[in-house]
Amino acid sequence: MKAPELSVILPAFNEAKNIPLIVDKIAAVMGDTPFEVIVVDDDSPDGTADVTRSIGREKPFVRCVKRINRRGLSGACIEGMMAANAPVVVVMDADMQHDETRLPVMLAEIRDGADLVIGSRYVDGGAASSGFVKKSRAKGSELATALANRITGAYTTDPMSGFFMMTRDVADRAARVVSRDGFKILFDIVSRFGHDLKIREVPFQFRERVEGESKLGFLVTVQFLGLLISRYTGGFIPVKFLLYGLVGFTGLFVHMATLLLLNASFGVGFATAQIVATFAAMTSNFAFNNEVTYAHRKLTGWRFVTGLLTFYIICGIGALANVSISVRLFEWDWSAALAGFAGALMSAVFNYAVTKLVTWRDT
């Protein structure tokens, strides 16, 4: 076997039926160019990893990276790129929505000096609408692209593309800084490095999925919006903190709804109702953070229970610090609104930082 010139990274979740098909399609278009296929599987219950390993026993150019207790397309792409042996890597979907026949064309652009080659749906010869079963999803993609372009500028017509090729040097640079959360790693890469990369585009026809269901949903949408805001601030505000803050905002509504329901509707004393409402808000915040902010390290089973207990304790400490600081600032002649906001902000930062290290043990 020759050393691969190209590593094809296929992030996968429940793609067992698609893997054999896409591997054969890639092999058919690569000709004499040595390549490898790395399937990065997020512990799919449909046996995607087993199917990939079975193929690899017959076709040694196919490998599997199985991730346990980790989620997220961007993180999967990074781990796949870091496991690659070739000097050039390409990321594409395993569901055959991306046109594998464009791989040799993209590789030719890299050989000609490009650092990053993007498969674009929005240049002459490209198309996006055929890949979206619902018109609303197509419109949503167009809106996301327009928002992303306001940050990335004129570096690419399709910053939301999931089909792109880059040199090893760019992959190594990106792996150290891009967010591992969310769905659109290319947007993150271009918004950070677009100004000093030689970027070229290759048109492709975005196709319908052959098997399975789209991973694009509410969680992915929220994570993308968080990434969008984070990049708009130049990365000053981390994506996770934005999501954490958004969840905390929903907790305010849970708190007030519980308080009013118990006190006004059921006649429960204010103090008791306030305590119950506080725990209701903390519980909802924990559950939402587990599903949204830390979806890639989601706690289940007994870990969910112990995580909830640590969350209660940490947020309780944060609440005490909130009151202490806001009272002290108020005594220093700060306005009530400003002192209260400062205490709440400090509490939010404290809760975020400590739960990140203790409850979800993020790394």
Side-chain angles (χ1 to χ4, degrees):
M1 294 181 60
K2 295 181 179 179
E5 182 179 353
L6 176 68
S7 293
V8 182
I9 313 302
L10 302 177
F13 183 73
N14 286 343
E15 302 285 3
K17 294 181 179 179
N18 288 327
I19 297 301
L21 301 176
I22 189 62
V23 166
D24 287 345
K25 285 179 174 291
I26 292 171
V29 302
M30 290 306 296
D32 295 330
T33 303
F35 70 99
E36 64 177 355
V37 175
I38 301 176
V39 177
V40 186
D41 174 53
D42 282 0
D43 197 17
S44 302
D46 74 341
T48 297
D50 293 335
V51 169
T52 303
R53 288 164 179 161
S54 177
I55 296 172
R57 284 191 284 271
E58 297 180 4
K59 301 174 180 179
F61 60 85
V62 177
R63 293 192 285 138
C64 177
V65 174
K66 185 173 181 178
R67 306 202 306 165
I68 306 297
N69 295 327
R70 297 196 299 285
R71 290 287 186 272
L73 179 63
S74 294
C77 292
I78 293 169
E79 291 192 38
M81 291 187 294
M82 294 304 95
N85 291 322
V88 181
V89 298
V90 62
V91 172
M92 61 187 298
D93 288 350
D95 57 17
M96 284 164 287
Q97 286 192 293
H98 296 154
D99 186 358
E100 71 286 339
T101 65
R102 308 306 287 164
L103 290 175
V105 179
M106 297 169 78
L107 185 58
E109 294 287 354
I110 293 288
R111 289 169 175 165
D112 192 44
D115 300 311
L116 173 65
V117 181
I118 300 169
S120 175
R121 299 162 290 181
Y122 302 113
V123 293
D124 289 341
S129 58
S130 59
F132 295 106
V133 177
K134 298 180 180 179
K135 290 184 178 180
S136 59
R137 182 159 289 179
K139 292 296 184 181
S141 177
E142 293 174 3
L143 175 60
T145 298
L147 291 173
N149 270 327
R150 294 184 66 85
I151 296 176
T152 59
Y155 300 122
T156 172
T157 61
D158 197 356
M160 302 297 288
S161 177
F163 187 24
F164 54 94
M165 185 180 294
M166 68 187 78
T167 62
R168 161 59 55 192
D169 178 65
V170 175
D172 287 343
R173 289 173 62 192
R176 296 182 182 278
V177 295
V178 299
S179 172
R180 282 155 174 74
D181 302 320
F183 200 70
K184 295 300 179 182
I185 184 175
L186 177 64
F187 163 71
D188 204 356
I189 292 173
V190 173
S191 65
R192 292 175 187 271
F193 305 120
H195 61 283
D196 63 357
L197 295 180
K198 296 178 181 177
I199 300 175
R200 297 179 188 173
E201 296 184 318
V202 169
F204 82 100
Q205 303 281 329
F206 191 57
R207 305 180 298 209
E208 289 188 33
R209 287 181 60 93
V210 175
E211 296 282 353
E213 298 180 355
S214 173
K215 310 303 185 296
L216 182 61
F218 174 75
L219 171 60
V220 168
T221 302
V222 172
Q223 288 176 335
F224 168 68
L225 291 175
L227 177 61
L228 197 68
I229 297 172
S230 177
R231 295 309 309 144
Y232 190 76
T233 63
F236 178 74
I237 305 177
V239 177
K240 282 194 182 72
F241 184 71
L242 286 168
L243 297 177
Y244 191 91
L246 178 62
V247 170
F249 189 70
T250 67
L252 176 63
F253 289 93
V254 173
H255 182 105
M256 294 306 299
T258 304
L259 176 63
L260 294 176
L261 179 66
L262 293 177
N263 182 249
S265 300
F266 292 97
V268 177
F270 179 81
T272 301
Q274 178 74 341
I275 293 172
V276 174
T278 298
F279 275 95
M282 286 195 292
T283 303
S284 70
N285 283 354
F286 173 79
F288 279 129
N289 276 313
N290 199 46
E291 293 289 338
V292 177
T293 311
Y294 296 101
H296 64 303
R297 304 187 71 83
K298 184 177 178 179
L299 303 177
T300 58
W302 278 108
R303 293 180 65 226
F304 181 93
V305 176
T306 57
L308 177 59
L309 293 176
T310 64
F311 191 79
Y312 283 155
I313 294 170
I314 293 166
C315 289
I317 296 172
L320 291 175
N322 176 356
V323 173
S324 299
I325 288 179
S326 59
V327 168
R328 179 57 60 88
L329 292 176
F330 183 73
E331 291 174 348
W332 290 348
D333 294 328
W334 286 40
S335 68
L338 191 57
F341 177 78
L345 180 61
M346 189 287 306
S347 177
V349 173
F350 172 83
N351 291 345
Y352 165 73
V354 180
T355 57
K356 182 174 183 285
L357 293 174
V358 178
T359 304
W360 285 278
R361 294 181 184 150
D362 196 28
T363 56

